[in-house]
Amino acid sequence: METKWLEDFVSLAETRSFSRSALLRHVTQPAFSRRIQSLEAWAGSDLVDRSSYPTRLTAAGETLYAQALEMLQALQSTRAMLRGHATAAQDVIEFAVPHTLAFTFFPAWVSALRDTFGPIKSRLIALNVHDAVMRLVEGSCDLLIAYHHPSQPNQLDADRYEMVSLGEEVVAPYAKPDAHGRPLFELPGKADRPLPYLGYAQGAYLGQMVALILKHCSAPIHFDRVYETDMAEGLKAMAIEGHGVAFLPLSAVRTELRTHKLVSAAPPELRDMSINMEVRVYRERPAQRETLKSGSGAGRVAGAAPKRSAQALWDYLAAQASTS
């Protein structure tokens, strides 16, 4: 039995909706249903009455719901104590960050932060977008840094989480230059000679952004996908070696553009071959944590109180955002 099954079950007991809980738990509805079924198999009893709408718990389900809240709260409290032992002296701020931002945005951002805010001690947890969001949802980090675009919101509940905008990121196509400084592969390509395309793996957040660019492009783009990975740094390395066109965040290629290892693969007439995203930092609202601790949080498990260093950093970021 996995603790995430209990967390899924608690969510279902509160929302009375498989689709709503799947959304809140950041999984597909079929995957969410399978996890509930796995919990029922472990329990040896039906926990959900699927013949009614809204969904209701069976008698066994009601019993498990009460016990699940206690078990999850005990586990959360134990983890908070253990984390307190590990970091109390250092007061390290733990960041959950998607891989691309971890490589491109985070190092320069921390450097600038130290010049203005002061020294910080940080621990970076680099993950895919889904798992980074879940770190925050499960209380396993202090702050989440992630991309945001209206077409692909992360579905974090604004009543439970607050955010501060850290700036913007631009994704655009790049390629290795030839001896004359022109891109080896220049968009849009031709139907009989498609350009070698270095793409993101299925499900990657930046891949979804690229799909949006191509969908709204003013001219047909002719690509032959020759390579894929879920990390921008992997695509950049292949583009530098001349293997094709890659759509990359500007923060990932600033040095390569300056040293002429990469150039834009989009001619001036294709001005719509880029997309702007916001970079945001999120945290759980302290007031929400106190509500959960007091027992009026609809059964959610409360996280630990914000660290002093994380609170101070958040106050600084919020103040900077309000004056910009």
Side-chain angles (χ1 to χ4, degrees), residues 96-125:
V97 186
H99 288 112
T100 296
L101 283 167
F103 282 111
T104 61
F105 175 84
F106 190 80
W109 179 70
V110 169
S111 294
L113 199 60
R114 284 174 173 158
D115 292 337
T116 54
F117 172 72
I120 66 169
K121 296 179 180 180
S122 59
R123 178 177 294 116
L124 176 70
I125 309 164

Side-chain angles (χ1 to χ4, degrees), residues 206-278:
L206 290 182
Q208 297 169 16
M209 294 297 99
V210 174
L212 200 61
I213 295 173
L214 298 177
K215 178 180 179 181
H216 296 290
C217 182
S218 57
I221 305 299
H222 303 284
F223 278 146
D224 177 23
R225 182 182 287 258
V226 298
Y227 178 78
E228 68 175 41
T229 181
D230 59 357
M231 295 181 63
E233 287 297 306
L235 295 182
K236 182 177 77 171
M238 292 292 285
I240 290 172
E241 293 298 321
H243 292 289
V245 177
F247 284 78
L248 300 165
L250 178 59
S251 62
V253 297
R254 281 199 175 96
T255 300
E256 288 72 22
L257 293 175
R258 188 171 59 250
T259 56
H260 306 292
K261 291 182 178 180
L262 289 174
V263 294
S264 172
E269 60 268 24
L270 289 180
R271 299 181 182 274
D272 54 0
M273 290 302 295
S274 65
I275 195 167
N276 282 45
M277 302 179 297
E278 195 177 356

Side-chain angles (χ1 to χ4, degrees), residues 27-46:
V27 296
T28 64
Q29 186 169 337
F32 182 85
S33 296
R34 286 195 297 270
R35 278 156 46 163
I36 296 297
Q37 290 168 358
S38 296
L39 180 62
E40 289 179 315
W42 174 86
S45 178
D46 289 339

